[in-house]
Amino acid sequence: MTRARIVICEFMDERAVAQLGAAHDVLYDPQLVGDAARLRAEAGQADVLIVRNLTQVRGELLAAMARCKVVGRLGVGLDNIDLAACEARGIKVIPASGANALSVAEYVVASTMMLLRGAFASTEAVAAGQWPRAALSNGREAAGQTLGIIGFGSIGQTTARLALGLGMRVIAYDPALMPDAPVFAQTGVQYGHLDDLISASDAVTLHVPLVDATRGLFSAARIGQMKKGAVLINTSRGHIVDISALSAALRSGHLGGAAIDVFDAEPLPASAVLQGCPNLLLTPHISGLSMQSNERVSFMIAERVLESLK
């Protein structure tokens, strides 16, 4: 078998890197994504490019990839890759479908429980000698609450399974699925039309790709449709939730809380809109990252890349 040149420009489990290196020539440099000129030069000599979500496989970088036949994506979102241009150039794009579903689902369920309970921000007060017991005694248990899942693929279905195990009622909407799709009966999840789901749910979680139809999906108007005191979780992509409208809804008390893991620009610049916002959890795009999910994602991509090079 001819040895191919594989360039990995973001972090990957090093055992999976070694698996690739046993059969092919590998350049592994997780910092390469931050050096655009060097990345273009290295990608120009690559038969395979392996990326996460920071690398924008489009424009000048894609034009430089004269030899490339495969792009491996260490994750599932593909909005950082120009799929049409890759297809036109004969480049196969391989995502790690399903490998990080459990990590995201656990993040969603844990965030939902914390936000419904409303007690996650008491550490500083208690450590300072305060005792806000009365103020924090009206949190809600997850059991009996309604979770609305928008996007019912692998991650949405895994989230539903965990939420059902907590005794939550789960309704889901996916534009690609008809109301009588077998997956709803198979999972014990009720189908809901989008607007009905939003108005009926105590917590809403988003699991949709960033496409024209989902950009700005949760506008001020849609956030206004949510139940008073409901919570919103976004682990999908930035640009789907209007962050200014979200902040206003949290500050007014219309929303009971939100957990946001993805942003319009990443890293997130300092934001006056979000600073000091109550009942808000912000994390740096890590819902799909855990020790175990990184192993699953990395080995899945390594194996699929090796298979594609045979």
Side-chain angles (χ1 to χ4, degrees), residues 1 3-4 6-8 12-26 48 50 74 298-299 301-307 309:
M1 180 174 63
R3 292 180 71 88
I6 301 173
V7 172
I8 307 166
M12 186 176 186
D13 187 285
E14 294 197 6
R15 293 168 299 165
V17 174
Q19 182 180 6
L20 291 168
H24 298 283
D25 298 325
V26 173
V48 177
I50 296 180
L74 295 162
S298 296
F299 280 105
I301 291 302
E303 289 161 8
R304 293 191 65 191
V305 164
L306 290 171
E307 181 66 26
L309 291 172

Coordinates of all heavy atoms in Angstrom, one line a residue, residues 1 3-4 6-8 12-26 48 50 74 298-299 301-307 309:
M1 N 0.8 -1.2 0.0 CA 0.0 0.0 0.0 C 0.9 1.2 0.0 O 1.8 1.4 0.8 CB -0.9 0.0 1.2 CG -1.8 1.2 1.3 SD -3.0 1.1 2.7 CE -1.9 1.1 4.1
R3 N 2.1 4.8 0.9 CA 2.0 5.6 2.1 C 1.5 7.0 1.7 O 2.0 7.7 0.8 CB 3.3 5.7 2.9 CG 3.7 4.4 3.5 CD 5.0 4.6 4.2 NE 4.9 5.3 5.5 CZ 4.6 4.8 6.6 NH1 4.3 3.5 6.8 NH2 4.5 5.6 7.7
A4 N 0.4 7.4 2.3 CA -0.2 8.7 2.1 C 0.4 9.7 3.1 O 0.9 9.3 4.2 CB -1.7 8.7 2.2
I6 N -0.7 12.5 5.8 CA -1.8 12.9 6.6 C -1.4 14.1 7.4 O -0.4 14.0 8.2 CB -2.4 11.8 7.4 CG1 -2.8 10.6 6.6 CG2 -3.5 12.2 8.3 CD1 -3.1 9.3 7.4
V7 N -2.2 15.2 7.3 CA -1.9 16.4 8.1 C -3.1 16.5 9.1 O -4.2 16.6 8.7 CB -1.7 17.6 7.3 CG1 -1.7 18.9 8.2 CG2 -0.5 17.5 6.4
I8 N -2.7 16.6 10.4 CA -3.7 16.8 11.5 C -3.4 18.1 12.1 O -2.4 18.3 12.8 CB -3.6 15.6 12.5 CG1 -3.7 14.2 11.8 CG2 -4.7 15.8 13.6 CD1 -3.3 13.1 12.7
M12 N -6.0 15.7 18.6 CA -6.5 14.3 18.4 C -5.9 13.4 19.4 O -4.8 13.6 19.8 CB -6.2 13.9 16.9 CG -6.8 12.6 16.5 SD -6.4 12.3 14.7 CE -7.4 10.8 14.4
D13 N -6.6 12.4 19.8 CA -6.0 11.4 20.7 C -4.7 10.8 20.1 O -4.7 10.4 19.0 CB -7.0 10.3 21.0 CG -6.6 9.3 22.1 OD1 -5.6 8.5 21.8 OD2 -7.1 9.4 23.2
E14 N -3.7 10.9 20.9 CA -2.4 10.6 20.3 C -2.2 9.1 20.0 O -1.4 8.7 19.1 CB -1.2 11.0 21.2 CG -1.2 12.5 21.3 CD 0.1 13.1 21.9 OE1 1.0 12.3 22.1 OE2 0.2 14.3 22.1
R15 N -3.0 8.2 20.6 CA -3.0 6.8 20.2 C -3.6 6.6 18.9 O -3.2 5.8 18.1 CB -3.7 6.0 21.3 CG -3.0 5.9 22.7 CD -3.9 5.4 23.7 NE -5.1 6.2 23.9 CZ -6.2 5.8 24.5 NH1 -6.2 4.6 25.0 NH2 -7.2 6.6 24.6
A16 N -4.7 7.4 18.5 CA -5.2 7.3 17.2 C -4.3 7.9 16.2 O -4.2 7.4 15.0 CB -6.6 8.1 17.2
V17 N -3.5 8.9 16.6 CA -2.5 9.5 15.7 C -1.5 8.4 15.4 O -1.1 8.2 14.2 CB -1.8 10.7 16.3 CG1 -0.7 11.2 15.4 CG2 -2.9 11.9 16.5
A18 N -1.1 7.7 16.4 CA -0.1 6.6 16.2 C -0.6 5.5 15.3 O 0.1 4.9 14.5 CB 0.3 6.0 17.6
Q19 N -1.9 5.2 15.4 CA -2.5 4.2 14.5 C -2.4 4.6 13.1 O -2.1 3.8 12.2 CB -4.0 4.0 14.9 CG -4.7 3.0 14.1 CD -6.2 2.8 14.5 OE1 -6.7 3.6 15.3 NE2 -6.9 1.9 14.0
L20 N -2.6 5.9 12.8 CA -2.5 6.4 11.4 C -1.0 6.4 11.0 O -0.7 6.0 9.9 CB -3.0 7.9 11.4 CG -4.5 8.1 11.5 CD1 -4.9 9.5 11.7 CD2 -5.2 7.5 10.3
G21 N -0.1 6.7 12.0 CA 1.3 6.8 11.7 C 1.9 5.5 11.4 O 3.0 5.4 10.8
A22 N 1.3 4.4 11.8 CA 1.8 3.1 11.6 C 1.7 2.7 10.1 O 2.4 1.8 9.6 CB 1.1 2.0 12.5
A23 N 0.8 3.3 9.4 CA 0.5 3.0 8.0 C 0.9 4.1 7.0 O 1.1 3.8 5.8 CB -0.9 2.6 7.8
H24 N 0.9 5.3 7.5 CA 1.1 6.4 6.6 C 2.0 7.5 7.3 O 2.3 7.4 8.5 CB -0.2 7.1 6.3 CG -1.2 6.1 5.6 ND1 -1.0 5.8 4.2 CD2 -2.2 5.4 6.0 CE1 -1.9 4.9 3.9 NE2 -2.7 4.6 4.9
D25 N 2.4 8.5 6.5 CA 3.3 9.6 7.0 C 2.3 10.6 7.6 O 1.5 11.2 6.9 CB 4.1 10.2 5.8 CG 5.0 9.1 5.2 OD1 5.6 8.3 6.0 OD2 5.3 9.2 4.0
V26 N 2.5 10.9 8.9 CA 1.6 11.8 9.6 C 2.4 13.0 10.1 O 3.4 12.9 10.7 CB 1.0 11.1 10.7 CG1 0.1 12.0 11.6 CG2 0.1 10.0 10.2
V48 N -4.6 13.7 3.0 CA -5.7 13.7 4.0 C -5.4 14.9 4.9 O -4.3 15.1 5.4 CB -5.7 12.4 4.8 CG1 -6.8 12.5 5.8 CG2 -5.9 11.2 3.9
I50 N -7.0 16.3 8.5 CA -7.9 16.0 9.7 C -8.1 17.3 10.5 O -7.1 17.9 10.9 CB -7.4 14.8 10.5 CG1 -7.4 13.6 9.6 CG2 -8.3 14.6 11.7 CD1 -6.9 12.3 10.3
L74 N -13.1 15.8 13.1 CA -13.2 15.2 14.5 C -14.4 15.9 15.2 O -14.2 16.7 16.1 CB -11.9 15.5 15.2 CG -10.6 14.8 14.6 CD1 -9.4 15.5 15.1 CD2 -10.7 13.4 15.0
S298 N -11.7 10.3 17.9 CA -10.4 10.1 17.2 C -10.2 8.8 16.6 O -9.7 8.7 15.4 CB -9.3 10.4 18.3 OG -9.3 11.7 18.8
F299 N -10.6 7.7 17.3 CA -10.4 6.4 16.7 C -11.4 6.1 15.6 O -11.1 5.4 14.6 CB -10.5 5.3 17.8 CG -9.3 5.2 18.6 CD1 -9.2 5.7 19.9 CD2 -8.2 4.5 18.1 CE1 -8.0 5.5 20.6 CE2 -7.0 4.4 18.8 CZ -6.9 4.9 20.1
I301 N -12.4 8.4 13.4 CA -11.9 9.1 12.2 C -10.6 8.3 11.7 O -10.4 8.2 10.5 CB -11.6 10.5 12.5 CG1 -12.9 11.3 12.7 CG2 -10.8 11.2 11.4 CD1 -13.8 11.2 11.5
A302 N -9.8 7.9 12.6 CA -8.6 7.2 12.2 C -8.9 5.9 11.4 O -8.4 5.7 10.3 CB -7.7 6.8 13.4
E303 N -9.9 5.2 11.9 CA -10.3 3.9 11.2 C -10.9 4.2 9.9 O -10.7 3.5 8.9 CB -11.2 3.1 12.1 CG -10.5 2.5 13.3 CD -11.4 2.1 14.5 OE1 -12.6 2.2 14.3 OE2 -10.9 1.8 15.6
R304 N -11.8 5.2 9.8 CA -12.5 5.5 8.6 C -11.5 6.1 7.5 O -11.7 5.9 6.3 CB -13.7 6.5 8.8 CG -14.8 5.8 9.7 CD -16.0 6.7 9.7 NE -16.6 6.8 8.3 CZ -17.6 7.6 8.0 NH1 -18.1 8.4 8.9 NH2 -18.1 7.6 6.8
V305 N -10.5 6.9 8.0 CA -9.5 7.4 7.1 C -8.7 6.3 6.5 O -8.4 6.2 5.3 CB -8.6 8.5 7.8 CG1 -7.3 8.7 7.0 CG2 -9.4 9.8 8.0
L306 N -8.2 5.4 7.4 CA -7.5 4.2 7.0 C -8.2 3.4 5.9 O -7.7 3.0 4.9 CB -7.1 3.4 8.1 CG -6.0 4.0 9.1 CD1 -5.8 3.1 10.3 CD2 -4.7 4.1 8.4
E307 N -9.5 3.2 6.2 CA -10.4 2.5 5.3 C -10.4 3.2 3.9 O -10.4 2.5 2.9 CB -11.7 2.3 5.9 CG -12.7 1.5 5.0 CD -12.3 0.0 4.9 OE1 -11.6 -0.5 5.7 OE2 -12.6 -0.6 3.8
L309 N -8.3 5.0 2.5 CA -7.0 5.0 1.8 C -6.6 3.6 1.3 O -5.6 3.5 0.6 CB -5.9 5.5 2.7 CG -6.0 7.0 3.1 CD1 -5.0 7.3 4.2 CD2 -5.8 7.9 1.9

